[in-house]
Amino acid sequence: METTIPLELSDIQYEDATYHAAVCHRCGTKIYPAEHLEPHLDRHQLKDLYLEGELKKLQFAMARMR
């Protein structure tokens, strides 16, 4: 099942050219081209999973110290 990502668009102006970019709702970064927004959000999710795993390790270590 594929989820849809609400696409907030913004423009990047550079040397008399305007590029249509997507805006990441988590970090506010403008992503050009807009098709690269999904891989960018995947990286956010991977980072969240990594941090969750590290937190579980820390909680386990703290529980053993008690």
Side-chain angles (χ1 to χ4, degrees):
M1 186 171 149
E2 192 172 314
T3 60
T4 59
I5 300 169
L7 193 60
E8 181 181 335
L9 295 177
S10 181
D11 290 336
I12 299 173
Q13 294 182 353
Y14 180 74
E15 292 185 2
D16 299 330
T18 301
Y19 303 100
H20 302 291
V23 178
C24 176
H25 67 279
R26 291 202 42 188
C27 63
T29 302
K30 292 181 182 178
I31 309 291
Y32 177 80
E35 295 84 36
H36 290 175
L37 180 62
E38 190 169 338
H40 176 81
L41 293 174
D42 289 343
R43 286 190 291 278
H44 278 300
Q45 187 176 18
L46 286 173
K47 184 177 179 184
D48 289 346
L49 290 173
Y50 170 76
L51 291 175
E52 186 177 310
E54 291 296 311
L55 182 59
K56 285 185 187 274
K57 288 182 202 176
L58 182 61
Q59 288 171 338
F60 179 72
M62 294 298 287
R64 289 184 60 197
M65 287 186 206
R66 291 183 183 170

